[in-house]
């Protein structure tokens, strides 16, 4: 007996309702449009790495400004809209009800698109917080919170509360975890002090900021690019294969272990840095543990196809799903591998990480989204998919593109890591000049760009199929009506047991597997209680890692000689961030011989106490800059920004001519210094009131010294943006009075080689 039949036996009347597919059509179209934009920008910046002149000498097209645009478009625009399309389509059917509010649905759609457009307008103009995957400035952050929690979260939870189906299917568990955890991550990582209409400083500094950022950054991958897509997999893969999910028990184990373990793993991004060793080690341990629940999900997905593998050979949609789940398995094996300290010491800061990330985003998120779109198109537009052959061509071209990208970045990353740490027979660095590594990678960068172009071509083919399917739609969509009784107030487990997958593929489930987990079935009938348990699961790990980082004195070391940046250096640092220099350069010398030989004394936690935000970086396309201060004169930096290849033949750093001609806005200094004082930086009252005069004096001094070195007249350069940037670079790493005696090596410093 089904739920519906049981309810009718209780005398509850059937209710008639329709589903809102219009909102699903909107999100599906937005997924394609923003996917095309994200991939196009990705290919463009990939070409820029191999051929820097591709930026046309324009600031808005420079790699440092466009790379954050690419990542935000791929994650929040493409993947985000795919998530929303999946949620709005599946939740209505799994709950046997229309979304709670059409108004909230549309506010969510248009609000999210406005956020994306705002990102596209601000990031190329240099308005950024300088934190990976969290670059958007504070007004946009506020909008994200309103749209995600106020519109999307509220609409979803009220829909679940007003559902007609007692059982919350596994896909909904993952949706709930995603909504709750992303909200927590976004709010706490976005705490800032406002310094202007589009300018803010992170509330956290140095080590604490790094910890919070990678607590957010890793779990943004977890709860934006993993858990909602697992929900998508659990719904659309069984529907496409017309097979029930392989194991109900495995789905429970997979879900709770993933939600609890994932949140601990973020610090593994900071091995051998100034972060306390215990924190990164804890992140590593949980990252390795994460392999098990991740593969539990992969196994559940692939074994769902038991008895349906013959369909995979003929159906390109199932091919997309199978390859996506396979890439999920490969990425979630490699992720824990890269978190192991010995492996991470080689892979970190290299293109190996880039290959790993793109295997997941292109293979797992991209192909799963494409498979969902192809499955949805005939149902949303009530006509046949225009061309199954074109769909198949997209699959093969996209797969080839992924492998070209993936393998070229692996080769590039391992080449980088081995060359950086190589010593010759005399004990000296085998490749002392960083540029030697850069020039070796150019062919691999071209292969990467070609692979990305093939992936983009596949998206174009999908666009043709999308358009032609839409063109063949009926003049008016038929509005199918559905009937179901309202949710019975009294919970009857025996009624719920018999229709575990009825809403998904129209098939029953073995009662012995379900009845043995009746406690969980009761949770699944109570969405508020279920959500609270998710909050508990993600909060335990977050608090356990965060509290000691703030309260234990040894984790907040200070160095007496480290002083705040001068007003001019502070503005120069803001320019460094706005130009996206952190996307190519790190400011973190790890305690490993090959790094200290190349860059100088390893970085200390106390050196970053006034860094809001931190700038340790996650990739070295160019050399580390933490000890660059005073190494070269001012004129060298001026000429380097004007045309890098003139200074370093073979350099792929683009020129920054606009910095040499654009005037520095001194008027922003008081508000920025004042904002920094409000988050604990010990500026004096004179620094605020006389900051402009102090900055002008320092700028004039630098310009005069540069003129003495053979540069242009000081009167022509002293007020240019590049002078402030030079002031900041010349300050880096110069605060230590006696770095060897000032502090003992951080814990774990001996294990890097």
């Amino acid at each position: 007996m089904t739920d519906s039949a049981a309810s009718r036996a209780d005398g509850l009347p059937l209710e008639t309702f329709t589903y809102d597919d219009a909102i699903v059509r909107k999100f599906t179209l937005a997924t394609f449009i923003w996917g095309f934009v994200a991939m196009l920008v990705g290919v463009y910046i990939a070409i820029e790495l191999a051929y820097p002149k591709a930026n046309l000498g324009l600031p808005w097209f420079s790699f440092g400004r466009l790379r954050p645009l690419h990542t935000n478009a791929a994650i929040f625009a493409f993947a985000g809209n795919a998530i929303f399309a999946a949620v709005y389509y599946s939740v209505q059917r799994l709950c046997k009800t229309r979304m709670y509010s059409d108004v909230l649905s549309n506010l969510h759609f248009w609000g999210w698109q406005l956020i994306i457009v705002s990102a596209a307008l601000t990031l190329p103009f240099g308005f950024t917080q300088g934190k990976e995957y969290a670059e958007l400035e504070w007004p946009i952050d506020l909008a994200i919170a309103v749209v995600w929690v106020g519109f999307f979260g509220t609409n979803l939870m009220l829909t679940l509360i007003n559902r007609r189906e007692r059982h919350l299917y596994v896909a909904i568990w993952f949706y709930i975890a995603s909504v709750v955890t992303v909200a927590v991550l976004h709010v706490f990582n976005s705490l800032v002090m406002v310094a202007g209409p589009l300018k803010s400083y992170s509330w956290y500094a140095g080590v604490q900021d790094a910890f919070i950022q990678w607590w957010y950054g890793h779990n943004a991958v977890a709860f934006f690019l993993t858990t909602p897509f697992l929900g998508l997999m659990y719904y659309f893969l069984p529907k496409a294969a017309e097979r029930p999910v392989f194991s109900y028990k495995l789905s429970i184990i997979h879900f709770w272990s993933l939600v609890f373990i994932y949140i601990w793993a973020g610090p593994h991004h900071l091995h051998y840095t100034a972060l306390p060793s215990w924190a990164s080690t804890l992140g590593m341990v949980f990252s390795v543990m994460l392999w098990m629940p991740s593969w539990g999900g992969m196994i559940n997905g692939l074994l769902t196809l038991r008895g349906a593998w013959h369909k995979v050979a003929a159906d390109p949609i199932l091919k997309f799903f199978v390859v996506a789940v396979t890439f999920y398995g490969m990425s979630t094996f490699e992720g824990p591998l890269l978190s192991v300290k010995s492996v991470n010491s080689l892979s970190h800061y290299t293109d190996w990480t880039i290959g790993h990330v793109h295997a997941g985003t292109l293979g797992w998120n991209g192909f799963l989204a494409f498979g969902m779109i192809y499955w949805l198109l005939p149902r949303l537009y009530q006509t046949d998919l225009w061309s199954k052959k074109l769909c198949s061509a997209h699959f093969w071209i996209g797969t080839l593109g992924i492998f070209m990208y993936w393998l070229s970045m692996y080769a590039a990353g391992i080449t980088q890591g081995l060359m950086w740490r190589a010593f010759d027979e005399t004990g000296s660095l085998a490749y002392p000049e960083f540029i030697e590594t850069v020039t070796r990678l150019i062919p691999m960068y071209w292969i990467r760009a070609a692979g990305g172009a093939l992936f983009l071509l596949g998206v174009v083919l999908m666009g043709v199929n999308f358009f032609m399917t839409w063109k063949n739609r009926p003049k008016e969509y038929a509005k199918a009506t559905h009937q179901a009784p309202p949710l019975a107030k009294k919970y009857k487990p025996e009624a719920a047991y018999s229709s575990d997958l009825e809403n998904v593929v129209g098939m029953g489930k073995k009662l012995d597997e379900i009845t043995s987990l009746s406690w969980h079935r009761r949770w699944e009938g109570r969405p508020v209680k279920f959500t609270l348990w998710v909050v508990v699961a993600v909060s335990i790990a977050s608090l356990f890692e965060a509290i000691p980082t703030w309260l234990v004195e040894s984790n907040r070391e200070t160095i007496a000689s480290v002083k705040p940046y001068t007003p001019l250096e502070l503005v120069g640092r803001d320019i460094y961030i706005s130009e996206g220099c952190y996307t190519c350069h790190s400011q973190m010398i790890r305690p490993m011989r090959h790094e200290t030989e190349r860059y100088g004394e390893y970085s200390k936690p106390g050196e970053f106490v006034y860094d809001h935000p931190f700038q340790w970086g996650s990739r070295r396309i160019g050399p580390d800059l933490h000890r660059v201060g005073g190494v070269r004169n001012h004129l060298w930096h001026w000429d380097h920004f004007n045309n890098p290849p003139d200074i370093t033949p073979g350099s792929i750093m683009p020129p920054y001519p606009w910095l040499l001609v654009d005037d520095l806005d001194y008027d922003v200094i008081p508000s920025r210094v004042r904002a920094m004082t409000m988050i604990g930086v010990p500026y004096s009252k004179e620094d605020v009131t006389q900051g402009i005069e102090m900055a002008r004096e320092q700028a004039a001094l630098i310009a005069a010294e540069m003129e003495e070195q053979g540069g242009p007249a000081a009167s022509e350069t002293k007020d240019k943006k590049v002078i402030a940037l030079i002031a900041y670079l010349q300050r880096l790493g110069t605060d230590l009075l006696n770095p060897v005696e000032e502090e003992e090596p951080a814990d774990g410093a001996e294990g890097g080689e």
Side-chain angles (χ1 to χ4, degrees), residues 434-625:
F434 191 90
I435 193 64
E436 296 177 89
T437 307
V438 175
T439 55
R440 190 72 62 89
L441 302 183
I442 298 301
M444 302 171 202
Y445 285 165
W446 280 117
I447 295 172
R448 185 259 295 275
L454 285 176
F455 195 84
L456 176 63
L457 176 60
V459 175
V460 171
L461 296 181
M462 184 177 72
V464 174
N465 228 347
F466 197 127
F467 174 77
M468 295 305 296
T469 302
W470 170 83
K471 189 176 180 181
N472 292 335
R473 73 196 187 285
K475 292 183 178 180
E476 291 186 9
Y477 295 118
K479 293 184 178 180
T481 58
H482 307 272
Q483 289 187 321
L487 195 66
K489 292 184 178 180
K490 188 175 181 180
Y491 180 52
K492 293 189 174 183
E494 66 277 5
Y497 292 151
S498 59
S499 61
D500 184 60
L501 284 177
E502 184 176 355
N503 281 341
V504 183
V505 292
M507 298 182 180
K509 192 69 176 172
K510 293 180 180 179
L511 289 178
D512 57 351
E513 186 179 12
I514 298 172
T515 54
S516 64
L517 292 165
S518 59
W519 59 273
H520 199 270
R521 292 290 293 184
R522 290 185 176 274
W523 285 10
E524 295 162 28
R526 296 175 171 85
V528 175
K529 183 177 182 179
F530 193 96
T531 302
L532 290 176
W533 278 114
V534 171
V535 172
V536 170
V538 299
S539 298
I540 290 174
S542 301
L543 294 174
F544 188 89
E545 289 183 327
I547 291 175
T549 307
W550 266 264
L551 298 185
V552 178
E553 189 66 29
S554 62
N555 295 333
R556 298 183 290 113
E557 297 176 358
T558 59
I559 301 174
S561 59
V562 174
K563 304 298 182 185
Y565 298 106
T566 67
L568 182 67
E569 292 162 358
L570 178 63
V571 177
R573 189 174 197 269
D574 293 341
I575 294 172
Y576 178 95
I577 292 172
S578 70
E579 294 297 340
C581 301
Y582 62 91
T583 64
C584 295
H585 296 280
S586 60
Q587 291 185 28
M588 173 53 59
I589 304 170
R590 298 176 295 177
M592 304 173 179
R593 184 182 168 218
H594 68 274
E595 295 212 5
T596 56
E597 288 280 336
R598 188 183 302 276
Y599 301 120
E601 181 68 16
Y602 70 89
S603 303
K604 313 296 194 301
E607 294 183 79
F608 305 102
V609 292
Y610 304 128
D611 283 9
H612 298 265
F614 81 112
Q615 288 292 286
W616 296 357
S618 61
R619 188 181 182 190
R620 285 177 181 156
I621 299 173
D624 188 274
L625 300 180

Side-chain angles (χ1 to χ4, degrees), residues 70-267:
H70 165 62
T71 56
N72 278 269
I75 297 172
F76 301 110
F78 169 61
N81 279 289
I83 292 166
F84 302 141
V87 169
Y88 279 102
Y89 185 87
S90 62
V91 165
Q92 294 184 83
R93 287 154 177 84
L94 291 169
C95 293
K96 294 181 180 176
T97 184
R98 193 180 180 92
M99 293 303 296
Y100 176 77
S101 169
D102 289 359
V103 172
L104 286 176
S105 297
N106 282 287
L107 285 173
H108 174 200
F109 175 79
W110 290 112
W112 197 257
Q113 309 319 308
L114 180 61
I115 288 167
I116 296 168
V117 172
S118 299
L121 292 176
T122 55
L123 291 174
F125 284 90
F127 297 107
T128 173
Q129 290 190 47
K131 301 176 72 171
E132 287 191 74
Y133 315 136
E135 291 91 350
L136 303 181
E137 270 294 355
W138 67 270
I140 308 176
D141 275 344
L142 287 176
I144 291 172
V146 170
V147 172
W148 184 269
V149 178
F151 301 156
F152 178 45
T154 300
N155 206 12
L156 176 62
M157 290 307 299
L158 290 176
T159 301
L160 299 182
I161 291 171
N162 289 278
R163 69 198 183 283
R164 294 184 177 88
E165 174 69 37
R166 170 69 64 183
H167 170 231
L168 295 180
Y169 175 63
V170 57
I172 297 177
W173 312 347
F174 284 97
Y175 298 155
I176 290 173
S178 303
V179 171
V180 169
T181 312
V182 168
V184 172
L185 293 169
H186 175 70
V187 169
F188 283 96
N189 190 54
S190 300
L191 295 178
V192 297
M193 178 57 64
V194 175
L198 283 172
K199 181 60 186 176
S200 62
Y201 294 108
S202 174
W203 193 269
Y204 318 102
V207 172
Q208 284 76 26
D209 191 48
F211 171 81
I212 287 292
Q213 164 57 24
W214 283 112
W215 167 76
Y216 163 87
H218 186 80
N219 290 303
V221 172
F223 291 93
F224 204 92
L225 297 180
T226 302
T227 53
F229 278 85
L230 285 167
L232 190 161
M233 178 198 77
Y234 272 115
Y235 182 85
F236 289 96
L237 178 59
K239 292 286 282 187
E242 298 183 325
R243 299 290 301 168
V245 169
F246 169 68
S247 172
Y248 173 71
K249 286 184 178 179
L250 185 56
S251 68
I252 294 175
I253 297 171
H254 171 214
F255 173 77
W256 286 109
S257 56
L258 194 76
V259 167
F260 179 76
I261 294 174
Y262 226 133
I263 203 76
W264 296 78

